[in-house]
Amino acid sequence: MNGKAWLFYIVVSIVLAISAFYEFIEWWVSLLSGDAGDSFLGTQGYIWDTQTDMFSALVGALVALVFFSKLQDKFIKKEFA
């Protein structure tokens, strides 16, 4: 793997780790707050909410990397040229 591929992999991994950690926080708050947490999570009304949030984070990371990495490289090259 070259440097760009590793960077791509690391960025996506970090985004998914942050997303998973947030889902754990939601779960812990739900456990600690009892009925209030269940009420909050129940208002979402969608049993696949966690999976949808994680998938959205993955798609967002991939879109950002694919569409903006060349633009960022261009700005960096322009700044340091």
Side-chain angles (χ1 to χ4, degrees):
M1 265 180 144
N2 64 11
K4 288 253 185 196
W6 276 110
L7 182 62
F8 196 88
Y9 173 77
I10 290 169
V11 168
V12 170
S13 296
I14 289 171
V15 167
L16 288 175
I18 291 170
S19 179
F21 184 67
Y22 180 79
E23 296 301 327
F24 276 121
I25 290 172
E26 276 190 347
W27 176 49
W28 293 329
V29 168
S30 176
L31 289 176
L32 294 174
S33 62
D35 291 337
D38 292 340
S39 297
F40 168 70
L41 293 176
T43 59
Q44 294 174 348
Y46 183 52
I47 61 169
W48 298 105
D49 180 65
T50 299
Q51 291 81 359
T52 303
D53 291 348
M54 294 279 302
F55 181 70
S56 297
L58 173 64
V59 170
L62 293 175
V63 167
L65 284 169
V66 168
F67 289 112
F68 296 118
S69 63
K70 290 185 184 198
L71 181 64
Q72 181 185 16
D73 291 345
K74 182 177 121 180
F75 284 139
I76 290 172
K77 187 180 281 187
K78 184 178 177 182
E79 182 71 28
F80 293 107

